Short mmCIF file of all heavy atoms in Angstrom, two decimals:
data_model
loop_
_atom_site.label_atom_id
_atom_site.label_comp_id
_atom_site.label_asym_id
_atom_site.label_seq_id
_atom_site.Cartn_x
_atom_site.Cartn_y
_atom_site.Cartn_z
N LYS A 11 153.33 86.30 127.73
CA LYS A 11 152.10 87.05 127.90
C LYS A 11 150.94 86.33 127.22
O LYS A 11 151.04 85.91 126.07
CB LYS A 11 152.26 88.45 127.30
CG LYS A 11 151.08 89.37 127.59
CD LYS A 11 151.26 90.72 126.95
CE LYS A 11 152.34 91.48 127.69
NZ LYS A 11 152.37 92.88 127.31
N LEU A 12 149.83 86.21 127.94
CA LEU A 12 148.61 85.62 127.39
C LEU A 12 147.96 86.63 126.45
O LEU A 12 147.84 87.80 126.78
CB LEU A 12 147.66 85.27 128.54
CG LEU A 12 146.34 84.60 128.19
CD1 LEU A 12 146.59 83.20 127.63
CD2 LEU A 12 145.46 84.52 129.43
N TRP A 13 147.54 86.16 125.26
CA TRP A 13 146.89 87.07 124.32
C TRP A 13 145.71 86.39 123.64
O TRP A 13 145.64 85.17 123.54
CB TRP A 13 147.88 87.60 123.29
CG TRP A 13 148.56 86.54 122.47
CD1 TRP A 13 149.68 85.84 122.79
CD2 TRP A 13 148.16 86.06 121.18
NE1 TRP A 13 150.01 84.96 121.79
CE2 TRP A 13 149.10 85.06 120.79
CE3 TRP A 13 147.11 86.35 120.32
CZ2 TRP A 13 149.00 84.38 119.58
CZ3 TRP A 13 147.02 85.67 119.12
CH2 TRP A 13 147.97 84.71 118.75
N TRP A 15 143.29 85.67 120.39
CA TRP A 15 143.31 85.58 118.93
C TRP A 15 142.36 86.65 118.38
O TRP A 15 141.23 86.76 118.84
CB TRP A 15 142.86 84.20 118.50
CG TRP A 15 142.92 83.97 117.04
CD1 TRP A 15 141.90 84.07 116.14
CD2 TRP A 15 144.07 83.59 116.28
NE1 TRP A 15 142.34 83.79 114.87
CE2 TRP A 15 143.68 83.49 114.94
CE3 TRP A 15 145.40 83.35 116.62
CZ2 TRP A 15 144.56 83.15 113.94
CZ3 TRP A 15 146.27 82.99 115.62
CH2 TRP A 15 145.85 82.90 114.30
N TRP A 21 139.79 82.40 121.35
CA TRP A 21 140.94 81.56 121.65
C TRP A 21 142.04 82.41 122.27
O TRP A 21 142.28 83.54 121.84
CB TRP A 21 141.48 80.90 120.38
CG TRP A 21 140.60 79.82 119.88
CD1 TRP A 21 139.62 79.92 118.93
CD2 TRP A 21 140.61 78.44 120.27
NE1 TRP A 21 139.03 78.71 118.72
CE2 TRP A 21 139.62 77.78 119.52
CE3 TRP A 21 141.37 77.72 121.18
CZ2 TRP A 21 139.37 76.42 119.68
CZ3 TRP A 21 141.12 76.37 121.33
CH2 TRP A 21 140.12 75.74 120.59
N TYR A 22 142.72 81.85 123.26
CA TYR A 22 143.82 82.53 123.92
C TYR A 22 145.07 81.67 123.82
O TYR A 22 145.00 80.44 123.89
CB TYR A 22 143.50 82.77 125.40
CG TYR A 22 142.47 83.84 125.60
CD1 TYR A 22 141.12 83.59 125.42
CD2 TYR A 22 142.86 85.13 125.98
CE1 TYR A 22 140.18 84.57 125.61
CE2 TYR A 22 141.93 86.13 126.16
CZ TYR A 22 140.59 85.84 125.97
OH TYR A 22 139.65 86.84 126.15
N PHE A 23 146.21 82.34 123.65
CA PHE A 23 147.48 81.64 123.44
C PHE A 23 148.60 82.33 124.19
O PHE A 23 148.47 83.49 124.60
CB PHE A 23 147.86 81.66 121.95
CG PHE A 23 146.90 80.98 121.04
CD1 PHE A 23 145.86 81.67 120.44
CD2 PHE A 23 147.04 79.62 120.78
CE1 PHE A 23 144.98 81.02 119.59
CE2 PHE A 23 146.16 78.97 119.94
CZ PHE A 23 145.14 79.67 119.34
N ILE A 24 149.72 81.62 124.28
CA ILE A 24 151.01 82.24 124.56
C ILE A 24 151.95 81.80 123.44
O ILE A 24 151.76 80.74 122.85
CB ILE A 24 151.59 81.88 125.95
CG1 ILE A 24 151.89 80.39 126.06
CG2 ILE A 24 150.70 82.36 127.07
CD1 ILE A 24 152.73 80.04 127.28
N ASN A 25 152.91 82.65 123.13
CA ASN A 25 153.92 82.34 122.11
C ASN A 25 155.15 81.76 122.77
O ASN A 25 155.59 82.28 123.80
CB ASN A 25 154.36 83.62 121.37
CG ASN A 25 153.34 84.09 120.39
OD1 ASN A 25 152.30 84.58 120.79
ND2 ASN A 25 153.63 83.93 119.13
N PHE A 60 151.22 74.48 118.58
CA PHE A 60 150.91 74.62 117.16
C PHE A 60 151.93 75.53 116.49
O PHE A 60 152.23 76.63 116.98
CB PHE A 60 149.50 75.20 116.98
CG PHE A 60 148.43 74.27 117.47
CD1 PHE A 60 147.96 74.35 118.77
CD2 PHE A 60 147.93 73.29 116.64
CE1 PHE A 60 147.00 73.48 119.23
CE2 PHE A 60 146.97 72.40 117.09
CZ PHE A 60 146.50 72.50 118.40
N LEU A 69 152.67 78.17 119.20
CA LEU A 69 151.64 78.72 120.05
C LEU A 69 151.14 77.64 120.99
O LEU A 69 150.95 76.49 120.58
CB LEU A 69 150.46 79.22 119.23
CG LEU A 69 150.74 80.25 118.14
CD1 LEU A 69 149.48 80.54 117.35
CD2 LEU A 69 151.28 81.52 118.77
N LEU A 70 150.88 78.02 122.24
CA LEU A 70 150.27 77.13 123.21
C LEU A 70 148.89 77.69 123.54
O LEU A 70 148.78 78.79 124.07
CB LEU A 70 151.11 77.04 124.49
CG LEU A 70 150.48 76.23 125.62
CD1 LEU A 70 150.52 74.73 125.28
CD2 LEU A 70 151.19 76.50 126.92
N PRO A 71 147.81 76.94 123.20
CA PRO A 71 146.47 77.41 123.55
C PRO A 71 146.21 77.26 125.04
O PRO A 71 146.61 76.28 125.65
CB PRO A 71 145.55 76.50 122.72
CG PRO A 71 146.34 75.25 122.51
CD PRO A 71 147.79 75.66 122.48
N ILE A 72 145.54 78.25 125.61
CA ILE A 72 145.16 78.21 127.02
C ILE A 72 143.62 78.25 127.05
O ILE A 72 143.01 79.29 126.80
CB ILE A 72 145.74 79.41 127.81
CG1 ILE A 72 147.24 79.59 127.56
CG2 ILE A 72 145.41 79.26 129.29
CD1 ILE A 72 148.12 78.51 128.12
#
Side-chain angles (χ1 to χ4, degrees):
K11 187 182 289 192
L12 182 67
W13 59 275
W15 184 262
W21 287 94
Y22 287 79
F23 298 92
I24 63 168
N25 284 72
F60 294 92
L69 303 175
L70 175 71
I72 311 291

